Amino acid sequence: MGVEAGAQVARARALVVLRIRSRALAVALLPAAVAVILLAGAFSGRLVGPGWDAARWVVTPVAVLVLLAAAGIALVVARARPAMSPTVPIAEESAPDLYRMVRDLADRLEVPAPSAIALTPDCDSWLEDRTHPAHGPPLPEEHDDIAGAGKHAHRRHPVAPVLVIGSPFLWWMRVGELRAVLAPVVAGTGPSAHPDIAAARRFVRGLDAAVAVTSAPRRDPVSRAVLAGVGWVARLLLRSCRLHAAELERGVAAAAAERAQAVDYGLRIVAQEQVGLAYAGWDRLLTRVALPAWRMGRWPSRLDAGVVAALTELSRRDRLAEGFASRLGERPACDLLEEPGAVDESASLLAARLFHGGPAGPGPDWSPVDWSEYPEEVVDRKWRIDAARLHRVLDAMGVRPATGPAAPATGSPTLSRVLDHLTDPTGEAPLSQRSTGPTGDASLTHRGSDPSGEAPLPTRSPEPPPPPDDDEEDLTGTTPRSANLAARLSAELGREEAAATPRPSTAASPAPGTPATPDPLALWDDRALPLFPLQPPRTARELLADHLTAMICCAAMDTAGATPGLDWLDGPTLLHNGERTADLAPKILTLVEEGDPTPLRAWLAELGIRPEKPVRLV
């Protein structure tokens, strides 16, 4: 360990953590020490008498129980599997240039090189200790004495942590920028190799893993009671170590940053700007582009390549990003990989698991989609599925097809049917301005006549879905018809999701010709997927707006020759005459909140979209 001030602070804090461990061990051994003294006094004849005998009878069983409890707690702490970040492992054979760059960087920093490299679908990089036996495959058995002796000697050497790199960095950053960004991270292997710091970190991680084990639900009351005691002790020790462990990590980070200042310091300042830009593009790509595909059972297989396209588009639109695209002529960091396409596909699948909860491998209901197929396979299909759901809900509500001289006589689904239903001819006040009933719920009954002059139809639904409290607040300010339709759409979508077959979390069998590789995700608990949900569940108002947008886009494609498209920053978009159409949100908001379709109908007429014509649904 170097002479950096942060390293000295980290070592001092590590010693405090180790002293806490020693004190805990001393407390556990104290009753046994007292019992040994009492028993030795009895054998020597110095501590005899009724009082000493009674003390021996009391202290000895207590000492045995404390020793057994301490041994059990130590066993749980030692065998509990510490948390490990889900990553895509990168073997040295598949990225020799990347490993060479990292080793050269470690040599320049005069620190141990990381033991391995892995990728994570996030814009961050860190070092991760994976020396626990549960984090790797079992060591091969040796049947000769020389091999066994070498194996035991090898175990005494500390193993360097694994370098985890954010996969978007490899595709967006240039080789020099990536080296500059990784310099402070790789420099952290120096303090991590110190025995005191490594021992303190292992102790804290073991306590954290023990708490996780004791918090797992169990049915056996005996094991639940025993583990409750183990958890109480582990939490007590964690609270004692919390402040010192945090200061230890700050000291290690400060020491790594100080050591890395001598390597590519000027380039690192420029590269940090790329880190923020990559994070913004990655977040936009996941929420606007990948999420709609994941919801349909498709996962884009080139997310990292999509980041480059998204950020290039951003540099074209935003003056603040000017000049960033000119870097694309330099060598990208993904060239350090032998097969960047296969790595990108693995990282994209892992991103789908973490942020959406998809299966671990492709399957009939979970298949990859290429960017060139995205408009037809995702955008078009999504719009038609939403439009079909909208008309199913209207059928269940008893809404009749649109009438008029241009309306189809077959009762086919049309945009006019939706617009006529949401048009408020009576000028009823929004939900926030209407009086509530005895229960405090606003009535959703249609009191006015239909635009066609027909008598109002009674609501027909097998399950009348009153909006939940949260949705009712969200629907405040909308017309009664919009609120009713939004609530029923939310209920219909909830029923579909509940009826969907749960997707398995185990990995699917590899495709023919694909080399079998160990699944790194089997080393972490995936029962709580998704681990990082991108967005909260959509509200009823948002669902209604999405379904109206889908219906309008279907009408535009079927009657005006529009086509589905992909915008790298905004996701699915409608193209008319090869150009992106104007934003529909204000016009749809006017229809939903005021029941006024005039702005939307004017927009439809401007683009030549005929709402009375039938549309094709899925």
Side-chain angles (χ1 to χ4, degrees):
M1 186 171 65
V3 296
E4 295 86 2
Q8 302 301 326
V9 172
R11 183 174 182 273
R13 294 293 181 170
L15 292 176
V16 175
V17 172
L18 295 179
R19 281 197 292 269
I20 293 175
R21 185 185 65 177
S22 300
R23 290 169 188 168
L25 179 61
V27 170
L29 295 178
L30 181 60
V34 174
V36 169
I37 293 174
L38 291 176
L39 292 175
F43 288 123
S44 63
R46 295 180 178 274
L47 302 178
V48 294
W52 293 110
D53 293 340
R56 276 188 288 273
W57 280 104
V58 173
V59 173
T60 302
V62 171
V64 173
L65 291 177
V66 172
L67 284 178
L68 291 176
I73 294 173
L75 183 62
V76 172
V77 172
R79 296 191 60 181
R81 184 179 64 185
M84 188 183 74
S85 303
T87 55
V88 177
I90 302 297
E92 186 171 1
E93 296 79 12
S94 62
D97 293 340
L98 180 60
Y99 273 82
R100 189 178 304 111
M101 185 196 74
V102 172
R103 290 196 181 102
D104 292 343
L105 183 59
D107 292 339
R108 294 176 61 184
L109 294 169
E110 298 180 353
V111 296
S115 60
I117 298 177
L119 298 185
T120 180
D122 197 5
C123 293
D124 199 1
S125 299
W126 65 88
L127 293 173
E128 187 166 291
D129 186 3
R130 297 184 178 179
T131 57
H132 194 275
H135 286 166
L139 296 175
E141 295 184 3
E142 302 289 351
H143 301 283
D144 57 282
D145 296 338
I146 298 178
K151 177 177 64 175
H152 292 296
H154 177 72
R155 284 182 176 178
R156 286 195 294 267
H157 295 285
V159 179
V162 175
L163 174 62
V164 181
I165 306 175
S167 61
F169 292 164
L170 286 175
W171 269 258
W172 175 244
M173 290 187 174
R174 309 299 99 181
V175 174
E177 295 171 345
L178 180 65
R179 182 176 58 248
V181 169
L182 293 181
V185 183
V186 176
T189 59
S192 300
H194 193 276
D196 293 337
I197 295 178
R201 282 177 163 177
R202 283 195 301 269
F203 178 60
V204 174
R205 282 196 304 269
L207 292 177
D208 182 72
V211 170
V213 169
T214 58
S215 301
R218 281 178 173 79
R219 298 180 180 180
D220 185 6
V222 176
S223 61
R224 188 164 55 245
V226 171
L227 290 177
V230 175
W232 181 84
V233 174
R235 290 184 181 91
L236 178 63
L237 293 175
L238 268 181
R239 284 194 296 268
S240 303
C241 301
R242 179 184 304 166
L243 177 62
H244 305 291
E247 293 298 329
L248 183 154
E249 298 301 334
R250 291 191 186 97
V252 170
E258 183 179 352
R259 180 176 288 268
Q261 286 181 356
V263 179
D264 298 332
Y265 182 73
L267 183 58
R268 191 180 314 123
I269 298 176
V270 179
Q272 287 299 329
E273 300 178 0
Q274 305 302 321
V275 172
L277 191 64
Y279 182 85
W282 180 251
D283 179 74
R284 195 75 175 242
L285 185 73
L286 292 182
T287 55
R288 301 295 183 90
V289 179
L291 187 58
W294 293 340
R295 286 171 174 167
M296 298 180 57
R298 307 296 299 271
W299 51 278
S301 59
R302 295 293 185 270
L303 282 179
D304 293 308
V307 172
V308 179
L311 293 178
T312 304
E313 178 67 16
L314 178 63
S315 66
R316 187 183 65 84
R317 298 183 189 179
D318 192 352
R319 292 182 178 179
L320 296 177
E322 286 182 357
F324 289 145
S326 61
R327 307 162 35 262
L328 300 181
E330 304 174 13
R331 185 190 182 192
C334 63
D335 281 357
L336 300 174
L337 305 173
E338 291 292 317
E339 297 181 2
V343 174
D344 193 1
E345 183 173 354
S346 299
S348 301
L349 181 57
L350 177 58
R353 292 198 73 189
L354 296 181
F355 300 119
H356 183 67
D365 299 326
W366 187 245
S367 56
V369 59
D370 193 69
W371 290 126
S372 60
E373 303 172 349
Y374 187 94
E376 291 295 331
E377 296 293 330
V378 176
V379 180
D380 182 86
R381 186 163 164 252
K382 173 184 180 298
W383 285 342
R384 297 194 186 277
I385 289 177
D386 288 351
R389 183 183 299 111
L390 177 61
H391 280 278
R392 285 200 307 271
V393 171
L394 292 176
D395 293 339
M397 293 172 61
V399 177
R400 295 176 180 174
T403 58
T410 59
S412 302
T414 62
L415 178 59
S416 294
R417 182 193 189 192
V418 181
L419 299 181
D420 292 345
H421 175 70
L422 293 179
T423 300
D424 190 358
T426 61
E428 290 186 3
L431 286 180
S432 59
Q433 304 175 11
R434 290 184 295 138
S435 60
T436 57
T439 61
D441 296 332
S443 173
L444 299 178
T445 307
H446 298 179
R447 296 182 178 86
S449 59
D450 198 82
S452 60
E454 300 176 0
L457 294 173
T459 299
R460 296 188 293 107
S461 176
E463 297 181 20
D469 294 340
D470 295 340
D471 284 345
E472 188 174 345
E473 280 187 27
D474 174 69
L475 294 174
T476 301
T478 61
T479 63
R481 293 188 176 187
S482 297
N484 193 12
L485 181 57
R488 291 176 180 274
L489 277 173
S490 180
E492 175 69 16
L493 186 61
R495 284 192 292 266
E496 291 180 7
E497 293 177 350
T501 303
R503 290 175 294 193
S505 60
T506 56
S509 56
T514 303
T517 57
D519 182 16
L521 305 183
L523 301 178
W524 53 277
D525 189 2
D526 59 355
R527 291 173 294 181
L529 290 175
L531 299 180
F532 312 105
L534 290 179
Q535 291 179 342
R538 289 176 291 179
T539 62
R541 183 196 292 261
E542 293 171 343
L543 284 174
L544 177 59
D546 290 345
H547 284 72
L548 289 177
T549 302
M551 187 62 205
I552 294 169
C553 292
C554 289
M557 292 187 295
D558 293 344
T559 65
T563 57
L566 168 62
D567 188 280
W568 291 108
L569 298 177
D570 296 327
T573 185
L574 182 67
L575 302 179
H576 187 263
N577 293 330
E579 297 182 358
R580 182 179 176 183
T581 57
D583 189 11
L584 284 172
K587 303 172 182 60
I588 292 178
L589 191 64
T590 302
L591 175 62
V592 171
E593 293 184 349
E594 302 175 10
D596 182 12
T598 304
L600 183 56
R601 289 188 180 274
W603 182 84
L604 295 175
E606 180 182 353
L607 267 67
I609 301 173
R610 304 184 61 180
E612 74 280 359
K613 292 294 184 180
V615 298
R616 179 175 59 87
L617 304 179
V618 175

